[in-house]
Amino acid sequence: MDCVIYTRVSIDRTGEALAVTRQEQECRALADRLGLKVMAVHSDNDISATSGKARPGFEAMLKTKPTAIIAWHQDRLLRLTRDLERVITLNVPVYTVTAGTLDLTTPAGRAVARTVAAWSQYEGEQKATRQVAANVQRAANGVRTGRVGYGYRRAGTTVVLDDAEAATIRSAVRRVLHGESLRAICKDLDAQGIPTPGRGAKWNSTTLKQLLLRPSLAGLTVHRGQVVGRTPDDSPRVIDEDTHERLKAALTDPVRRTAPVGRAPKYLLGGIARCGRPTGTLDDKGEPVLCGGVMVRAVGRKTTTKSGGTKRQPPSYVCSACYRVRRIQDLVDKMVEGIVVGRLEMPDAAQLFATGDPVALQEARDSIEAIDARLTNAADMFAAGTIDAAQLTRITERLRADRAQAATALDAALPPAIPADLIGANAGEVWHGLSMDVKRAVMDTLVTVTILPSGSGKAFDPDTVQVVWRS
């Protein structure tokens, strides 16, 4: 009589398929004792039979329609009752090394097999439930599980910082908090030849944003997308929790301007300055209504010289709405930069910036810490069997809503993201070292720039460029 051998192991930690090899050896020995001829061996190494995912070896075995099956144990062949029903349709005996014979050709044998399969599936589901509870508890207790992310590495049984990756993250965090765009940072990382976290050839804004927003960088542990605990105080952290909160506020701020796909902005006031030409109408207060069109950078126009030749005028800012106000770009940039940098160099320049609300900030932090502690307690109670899953769900949903509210309050209390070293006597030197992204962000935060009409052919008049401080 012919037979096939089926072997399976759920987790192969070494990747050497030693367990399935041992199963095959014992199955072949059983075949010899039974006088069966092994026609084929089908194997699923490192594949669970409980998850319901396809098992290529199992499917291949069914397609051969064997006359008998040998397995090390029934649970190696199947864990789910639906898989058993597919085996039953073969109407063949199943011999196992450690659990006897299942004669699926008889009603009694099928009844026994279904009973065994039902309890096997029950055991698998119970194991999964216990595993979920254990994962929640470990995360709530600040234990990192699974693969460590970019910025960390495992050294034996402990998690330590990967110095090079941590330095890359900290640099990117600092630049984001200084107002630089993700796109510009990615471009610079590619230029430096820094490897990406995944398999991508180049850095991209989406990947970098996801990386920087990971709570684990600040030592926070997460379960199913929710922060449920903290790693011990002496464990390594790429950034501190305050920086994480500031970063989250900066990257998830709905008013954060996202740069369009394409080239990085090159011009200081393009899209920022506004046209101040009166439209000839008055508002409700009797004040002239201004055009308000966005000033964009335009190449210089060609003009005819006295000798009959042509020459091109220098680039200008021109109103994109009425096209009736135009001013030389370099002159406007130098004037506005001079005003802003000069003000930043003054001793009282810090007054230009909101400093946040330290009292509200501490209250929000205290609230989050208290809520996290209650989440941890709830997870412990569930693991101990004091509360059931439904109670844990209700408690968790309520506390997570409270935590989201506290996080919003914390974001509102944080100071704006402006380079701290831009204030003071060295403001001019710092300013010239900033990227155009950061310069534009600072401009847009501090001032409104309005360009007034001056008449055709007139020399540049600084009075036709109004710079008004937003504060």
Side-chain angles (χ1 to χ4, degrees):
M1 184 177 179
D2 297 337
C3 71
V4 298
I5 291 175
Y6 178 79
T7 61
R8 182 187 67 81
V9 63
S10 299
I11 300 175
D12 182 4
R13 299 190 186 280
T14 66
E16 297 175 336
L18 297 178
V20 291
T21 300
R22 287 194 297 271
Q23 288 182 25
E24 180 183 342
Q25 292 171 349
E26 296 190 35
C27 287
R28 284 188 180 277
L30 176 60
D32 289 341
R33 293 196 297 273
L34 296 174
L36 300 177
K37 181 180 179 181
V38 178
M39 303 303 294
V41 176
H42 301 280
S43 182
D44 286 313
N45 187 46
D46 205 18
I47 297 179
S48 169
T50 308
S51 65
K53 294 182 179 178
R55 290 181 282 157
F58 181 75
E59 298 298 330
M61 181 197 68
L62 294 181
K63 287 182 180 178
T64 63
K65 296 182 178 179
T67 55
I69 300 172
I70 296 181
W72 188 79
H73 189 279
Q74 179 179 332
D75 62 7
R76 300 300 90 194
L77 179 64
L78 46 89
R79 280 280 193 178
L80 304 177
T81 55
R82 70 187 186 195
D83 288 338
L84 170 63
E85 295 302 325
R86 299 178 67 191
V87 176
I88 286 177
T89 59
L90 297 175
N91 196 31
V92 299
V94 175
Y95 304 99
T96 67
V97 175
T98 59
T101 302
L102 292 174
D103 188 358
L104 302 182
T105 63
T106 66
R110 289 192 289 271
V112 171
R114 287 185 173 113
T115 301
V116 173
W119 280 104
S120 180
Q121 182 168 338
Y122 167 78
E123 181 187 348
E125 292 173 352
Q126 283 293 97
K127 181 179 179 181
T129 301
R130 292 195 299 269
Q131 188 63 50
V132 169
N135 290 341
V136 173
Q137 187 176 30
R138 282 197 292 269
N141 289 335
V143 178
R144 287 191 174 95
T145 59
R147 186 176 65 86
V148 296
Y150 190 87
Y152 297 98
R153 62 180 175 82
R154 288 196 181 277
T157 58
T158 61
V159 175
V160 299
L161 286 181
D162 184 304
D163 293 337
E165 294 179 355
T168 298
I169 293 172
R170 286 166 178 160
S171 174
V173 168
R174 184 170 57 254
R175 294 168 70 171
V176 168
L177 293 179
H178 284 182
E180 197 164 349
S181 71
L182 293 171
R183 178 183 55 190
I185 298 171
C186 288
K187 184 177 179 180
D188 187 49
L189 292 175
D190 286 333
Q192 296 181 50
I194 296 177
T196 62
R199 298 179 180 178
K202 292 186 175 182
W203 288 82
N204 66 70
S205 301
T206 301
T207 302
L208 180 59
K209 181 178 180 180
Q210 292 173 344
L211 168 62
L212 298 181
L213 287 176
R214 280 173 33 216
S216 60
L217 296 179
L220 303 174
T221 51
V222 177
H223 181 73
R224 294 185 176 179
Q226 299 294 327
V227 174
V228 295
R230 292 178 173 81
T231 57
D233 292 340
D234 59 350
S235 64
R237 288 170 167 77
V238 179
I239 57 177
D240 59 50
E241 197 168 337
D242 285 348
T243 302
H244 169 69
E245 294 295 345
R246 290 186 61 198
L247 187 66
K248 190 171 63 173
L251 290 177
T252 60
D253 185 354
V255 303
R256 175 184 170 87
R257 290 182 296 111
T258 56
V261 176
R263 293 180 300 174
K266 296 181 180 179
Y267 312 114
L268 183 66
L269 298 172
I272 294 178
R274 297 284 175 167
C275 174
R277 184 185 67 82
T279 59
T281 60
L282 302 178
D283 61 15
D284 295 339
K285 297 180 181 178
E287 298 293 334
V289 175
L290 305 182
C291 169
V294 175
M295 303 296 291
V296 296
R297 193 257 191 186
V299 298
R301 293 177 295 188
K302 283 186 177 180
T303 57
T304 303
T305 64
K306 293 181 179 178
S307 61
T310 60
K311 72 173 183 179
R312 186 174 293 280
Q313 297 293 324
S316 302
Y317 289 123
V318 61
C319 177
S320 60
C322 69
Y323 302 101
R324 296 171 63 178
V325 175
R326 177 185 289 263
R327 209 57 41 82
I328 295 176
Q329 175 197 347
D330 283 347
L331 298 178
V332 176
D333 285 350
K334 288 179 181 177
M335 174 191 161
V336 176
E337 278 185 302
I339 292 174
V340 171
V341 174
R343 181 68 182 91
L344 291 170
E345 289 175 336
M346 293 181 179
D348 62 343
Q351 296 179 7
L352 294 170
F353 305 94
T355 57
D357 187 339
V359 176
L361 191 66
Q362 189 58 49
E363 289 178 351
R365 285 177 180 147
D366 292 343
S367 297
I368 290 174
E369 187 172 350
I371 292 169
D372 287 344
R374 294 175 66 185
L375 282 168
T376 301
N377 291 336
D380 290 342
M381 293 171 67
F382 175 68
T386 308
I387 60 175
D388 58 27
Q391 290 172 315
L392 176 64
T393 300
R394 288 199 299 273
I395 294 171
T396 302
E397 289 179 351
R398 173 66 181 276
L399 291 177
R400 284 176 180 169
D402 292 344
R403 195 183 194 284
Q405 188 174 359
T408 301
L410 186 145
D411 290 344
L414 287 170
I418 297 292
D421 50 359
L422 188 58
I423 305 172
N426 296 325
E429 181 180 350
V430 175
W431 175 265
H432 293 299
L434 298 178
S435 69
M436 184 57 73
D437 278 330
V438 179
K439 288 181 178 179
R440 288 170 56 85
V442 172
M443 283 288 177
D444 210 20
T445 301
L446 294 182
V447 297
T448 59
V449 179
T450 305
I451 300 179
L452 308 177
S454 63
S456 177
K458 294 185 177 179
F460 178 73
D461 181 0
D463 290 338
T464 60
V465 179
Q466 293 182 343
V467 179
V468 178
W469 298 94
R470 291 187 184 275
S471 60

